[in-house]
C-alpha cells in the first residue's frame, strides 16, 4: 500500500536564538522521533557526521533524506558512496550552479542521472532559489528537455520568486501543477508573494497555508498515479531558522517553529488520509 513518510529537517531544528543555546544532535533526533516523524532531512556530504546521524536514526527506527549541493558531475560521486554505506530513503540534489542557458545544464543533468542509475535509492533534483532551478520558467524548460526528470518540489521558492498575484490565476496554477507532476518528494514551507517562509499559525496567513495545502494535495494525487503500489512518498517539514524565519525586534522568531512544524505534519497527514478516505 502506498504510504507517506513525514520527515523533519535537522537544519530547521537549529534555534539560532539570541540566548545562544542549541540542542545537541542527540536531543534533536530524540525530539523528532518522540513527535511521531518518520525520519529526518540532513546534509549528507560528511562521512563522519553521517555515521553519527545514522547510528542515532537506527536507535529510533527512523530513515533519512540526504542532501547535497554538487557543482560538477564528479561532486556527486562521494555523496553517493556515503549514502550507499549509510542507507537512505532518497538523496536530494540542490544543483549548485546557475547557468543562463539550458545547453549548459544538459551535461550536468545527464551525468548526475547516469551516476544515480548505479545506486539502489532514488535521487531527485530540488527546485530551489539560487540553484539551477531558481527560476520557474527555466525549470519548465528543463522539463521540456528532460520530461522524465524527477524533481523534489519546494514550490515556496517559485511563489516568492515569481511574486504571483492574489488570487492565483489558472495560468500560474498550471505552471505549478506541471512542476508537481514531476515531483517525487516534497519540502514543506509556506510562502507569500513577498516572503519565502511565513508563520502558518497566524490567522491572516491562512489563505497562503490553504493554497499550499491544496498544491501539495494535487502533488500527492499526481504521485499516487505515477508511483508503484507499495512505494512511499517523503514530505519534509522544513521551517528554517532565521533568516528564513521572520524575526521580531529582539532578533528572535515571531513564532515557535517546532510547534508550527508539528502543525504542518498533522495538516499534511490529514490531507493524505483524506485521499485514502
Amino acid at each position: 500500500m502506498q504510504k507517506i513518510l513525514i520527515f523533519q529537517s535537522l537544519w530547521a531544528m537549529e534555534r539560532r536564538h539570541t540566548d545562544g543555546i542549541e540542542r545537541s544532535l542527540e536531543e534533536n533526533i530524540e525530539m523528532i522521533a518522540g513527535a511521531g516523524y518518520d525520519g529526518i532531512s540532513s546534509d549528507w556530504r560528511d562521512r563522519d557526521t553521517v555515521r553519527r546521524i545514522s547510528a542515532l536514526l537506527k536507535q529510533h527506527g527512523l530513515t533519512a533524506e540526504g542532501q547535497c549541493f554538487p557543482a560538477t558531475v564528479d561532486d556527486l560521486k562521494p555523496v553517493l558512496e556515503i549514502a550507499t554505506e549509510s542507507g537512505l530513503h532518497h538523496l536530494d540534489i540542490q544543483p549548485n550552479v546557475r547557468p543562463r542557458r539550458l545547453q549548459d545544464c544538459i551535461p550536468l543533468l545527464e551525468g548526475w542521472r547516469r551516476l544515480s542509475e548505479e545506486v539502489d535509492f532514488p535521487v531527485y533534483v530540488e527546485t530551489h532559489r539560487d540553484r539551477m532551478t531558481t527560476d520557474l520558467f527555466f525549470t519548465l524548460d528543463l522539463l521540456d528537455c528532460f520530461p522524465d526528470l524527477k524533481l523534489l518540489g519546494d514550490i515556496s521558492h517559485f511563489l516568492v520568486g515569481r511574486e504571483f498575484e492574489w488570487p492565483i490565476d489558472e495560468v500560474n496554477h498550471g505552471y505549478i501543477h506541471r512542476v508537481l507532476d514531476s515531483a517525487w518528494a516534497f519540502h514543506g514551507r509556506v510562502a507569500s508573494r513577498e516572503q519565502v517562509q511565513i508563520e502558518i499559525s497566524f490567522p491572516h496567513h491562512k489563505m497562503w497555508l490553504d493554497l499550499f495545502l491544496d498544491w501539495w494535495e494535487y502533488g500527492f494525487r499526481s504521485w499516487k498515479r505515477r508511483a508503484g503500489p507499495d512505494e512511499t512518498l517523503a514530505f519534509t517539514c522544513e521551517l528554517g531558522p532565521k533568516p528564513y524565519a521572520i524575526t521580531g525586534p529582539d532578533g528572535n522568531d515571531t513564532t515557535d517553529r517546532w510547534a508550527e512544524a508539528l502543525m504542518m505534519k498533522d495538516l499534511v497527514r490529514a490531507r493524505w488520509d483524506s485521499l485514502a478516505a
Side-chain angles (χ1 to χ4, degrees), residues 70-83:
T72 68
V73 172
D74 286 345
D75 285 349
L76 185 60
K77 292 179 179 178
V79 184
L80 292 176
E81 292 173 2
I82 293 169

Side-chain angles (χ1 to χ4, degrees), residues 97-213:
V97 289
R98 299 142 196 87
R100 294 181 62 184
R101 303 187 314 152
L102 285 176
Q103 297 93 316
D104 297 329
C105 302
I106 291 172
L108 290 169
L109 289 172
E110 287 181 339
W112 289 331
R113 281 152 59 102
R114 190 165 55 249
L115 290 174
S116 301
E117 291 171 357
E118 300 174 5
V119 297
D120 61 0
F121 49 84
V123 180
Y124 306 137
V125 175
E126 183 176 353
T127 60
H128 201 288
R129 285 173 303 154
D130 197 33
R131 300 289 185 257
M132 178 191 290
T133 50
T134 187
D135 180 71
L136 174 58
F137 289 173
F138 194 87
T139 302
L140 294 174
D141 290 342
L142 286 175
L143 291 176
D144 286 340
C145 245
F146 296 94
D148 60 343
L149 184 64
K150 291 189 173 184
L151 299 178
L152 187 150
D154 186 343
I155 50 177
S156 63
H157 296 286
F158 288 146
L159 175 61
V160 74
R162 280 283 161 184
E163 201 171 349
F164 292 170
E165 290 186 6
W166 184 269
I168 311 297
D169 63 33
E170 289 307 309
V171 173
N172 285 324
H173 274 302
Y175 292 148
I176 295 296
H177 288 171
R178 185 162 178 224
V179 171
L180 294 171
D181 282 330
S182 294
W184 291 82
F186 298 90
H187 279 182
R189 77 168 56 81
V190 173
S192 70
R193 295 181 64 203
E194 291 79 19
Q195 288 102 17
V196 74
Q197 181 176 297
I198 58 173
E199 304 93 338
I200 63 173
S201 58
F202 286 2
H204 54 282
H205 289 161
K206 187 176 185 300
M207 64 189 219
W208 299 109
L209 173 60
D210 289 345
L211 171 69
F212 274 79
L213 288 169

Side-chain angles (χ1 to χ4, degrees), residues 1-41:
M1 185 173 66
Q2 293 177 337
K3 296 195 305 183
I4 192 169
L5 301 179
I6 303 184
F7 295 173
Q8 167 67 0
S9 163
L10 282 184
W11 166 67
M13 296 299 287
E14 295 178 22
R15 293 180 71 240
R16 299 189 188 177
H17 196 279
T18 53
D19 63 16
I21 298 171
E22 292 289 348
R23 292 179 295 267
S24 68
L25 176 62
E26 290 77 7
E27 289 171 326
N28 280 330
I29 291 181
E30 187 172 348
M31 276 182 69
I32 291 168
Y37 287 98
D38 301 294
I40 60 96
S41 172

